[in-house]
Amino acid sequence: MVVRERILETALKMFRTYGVKGVTMFDIARDCGISKKTVYEHFQDKQALIDEGMQQLLTNHINYFHECLQTTDNAIEELVRNMKYITNMAKTMNPVMLHEIQKYHPDTWRSIESFKSDNVLCNIKKNLKRGMAEGLYRQNLHIDIVARMRQLQLEAAFDPEQYPADQYEMHEVMEQVTAHFILGIATIRGHKLVNQYLQIKEEE
C-alpha cells in the first residue's frame, strides 16, 4: 500500500472510532508509523483528510448499493442486504463523527447532505418501485412519503441525540427499525420472504 493510501485509511479508521475533532495530524502520523511532515506532504491539512475520507466512504456506499441492485433476486433481499451493510458499518462507526462533521465542517456536511438526497433517497424510491412491481410491497404506497420516512429512520439511527450511544447499540437500532419498516410495506407474499430473509440473518 502506498503511503498516501495508508495515511487515508488510518485517518478514516481513527475518525470512525474517535470522531474527527479529537484526532490530530500527529495522532494519524503516529499510527501510520511516519512523521507528521510526511502526512503534510500528501495532505494539505486535516480538512483535506476529512473531505477525502468522507468521499471514499460515500463512494463505497454507492458502489455497494449498485452491486446489490444488480445481484439480488428481489426488492426485499436487496433491502435486507442493504440493512446488513449499513449495520456492519454502524458497528465500526462512532456516531459522534457525523455530529462533529455537521457542527465543525459545514462544507463536508453539505456533500453528505447531497449524497442523502441524490443517492440514498433515490435508491430507496427505486427499491420501493421494484418491490411494488414484483408484488412484494403494497400497491397503495405513496413512494415520496414512504421513502422520506425510511430516510429519516436511517438518519435517526446515526443521531446520538435520538439514540444515545450509552443506551443503544446502533446496529440493534438499525435492525429493529428496518424490520419494522419492511413488515409495514410488504404484502402477504412479501411477508413470507421477509421472515425468510430475517431468519437467515439471525442464523448468521
Side-chain angles (χ1 to χ4, degrees):
M1 184 184 298
V2 299
V3 174
R4 193 177 195 282
E5 291 175 349
R6 185 152 56 94
I7 294 170
L8 183 60
E9 182 181 277
T10 301
L12 191 51
K13 182 178 179 181
M14 295 183 75
F15 294 154
R16 290 173 65 158
T17 304
Y18 306 111
V20 296
K21 193 171 187 292
V23 176
T24 66
M25 297 294 263
F26 175 78
D27 295 329
I28 295 166
R30 183 188 57 205
D31 270 42
C32 276
I34 59 178
S35 69
K36 190 165 70 169
K37 178 183 177 182
T38 303
V39 175
Y40 278 109
E41 287 174 355
H42 293 277
F43 294 92
Q44 180 180 354
D45 50 26
K46 192 169 87 169
Q47 182 65 56
L49 266 171
I50 292 171
D51 287 339
E52 191 161 336
M54 290 306 103
Q55 190 55 54
Q56 185 180 98
L57 270 183
L58 299 182
T59 299
N60 289 344
H61 294 347
I62 292 170
N63 291 340
Y64 182 83
F65 293 152
H66 179 73
E67 176 194 353
C68 198
L69 176 63
Q70 301 298 320
T71 58
T72 49
D73 291 333
N74 55 70
I76 291 177
E77 182 186 5
E78 179 192 355
L79 189 55
V80 171
R81 276 185 54 184
N82 281 335
M83 178 200 73
K84 291 170 71 174
Y85 172 80
I86 295 172
T87 299
N88 288 332
M89 181 190 65
K91 290 178 182 178
T92 61
M93 181 183 293
N94 187 337
V96 168
M97 182 187 77
L98 293 177
H99 177 72
E100 290 180 346
I101 289 175
Q102 182 179 12
K103 187 173 182 179
Y104 302 110
H105 304 275
D107 289 340
T108 308
W109 184 252
R110 274 191 285 273
S111 69
I112 294 174
E113 289 287 283
S114 294
F115 169 78
K116 290 178 184 178
S117 59
D118 296 341
N119 291 279
V120 175
L121 190 61
C122 181
N123 281 324
I124 294 171
K125 290 180 180 180
K126 286 180 181 177
N127 179 265
L128 290 172
K129 292 175 182 177
R130 178 184 181 184
M132 292 168 73
E134 293 170 342
L136 300 176
Y137 297 162
R138 293 186 287 108
Q139 295 299 308
N140 62 345
L141 297 179
H142 190 304
I143 289 178
D144 288 340
I145 294 175
V146 176
R148 180 59 179 150
M149 178 180 71
R150 175 59 176 162
Q151 185 182 31
L152 290 171
Q153 285 181 339
L154 295 174
E155 292 176 5
F158 283 90
D159 185 349
E161 293 186 3
Q162 301 297 324
Y163 297 101
D166 60 343
Q167 299 178 41
Y168 300 95
E169 293 287 341
M170 191 192 297
H171 66 277
E172 292 181 355
V173 172
M174 191 66 68
E175 290 170 1
Q176 288 290 313
V177 298
T178 299
H180 180 79
F181 174 76
I182 305 177
L183 290 170
I185 64 174
T187 60
I188 294 176
R189 179 164 154 251
H191 272 225
K192 294 179 181 178
L193 276 178
V194 172
N195 293 332
Q196 175 187 331
Y197 287 121
L198 292 180
Q199 183 178 1
I200 291 172
K201 177 185 172 301
E202 289 168 1
E203 291 175 353
E204 291 176 353

